[in-house]
Amino acid sequence: MYISGTGPAVLVYVAVTGGLGWLFYRRRRAVLDERRARERDRLRKLRKKGKGKSRRAAAGR
């Protein structure tokens, strides 16, 4: 059964929840990308110093 006037409310609800979900997703991705970039830089510095894992060590030998 349709109640008149609920159409716009449903559209606003969908828009707001979609927008909040998208913002949450973007924030989460930014945090993860930053973490990956920091880890990449850390490993690059270790390799530069000769202290990074060699391929043989990384393979578990």
Side-chain angles (χ1 to χ4, degrees), residues 12-52:
V12 169
Y13 171 77
V14 168
V16 169
T17 54
L20 289 175
W22 180 76
L23 286 173
F24 180 77
Y25 169 78
R26 293 286 300 153
R27 171 78 178 135
R28 188 75 186 128
R29 291 297 305 171
V31 168
L32 290 174
D33 289 345
E34 173 65 27
R35 189 175 298 154
R36 276 195 205 106
R38 259 186 276 137
E39 181 68 11
R40 218 175 16 248
D41 288 344
R42 187 182 72 82
L43 291 174
R44 187 177 299 131
K45 286 178 187 174
L46 285 176
R47 278 195 303 270
K48 229 178 201 183
K49 293 180 182 180
K51 295 182 180 181

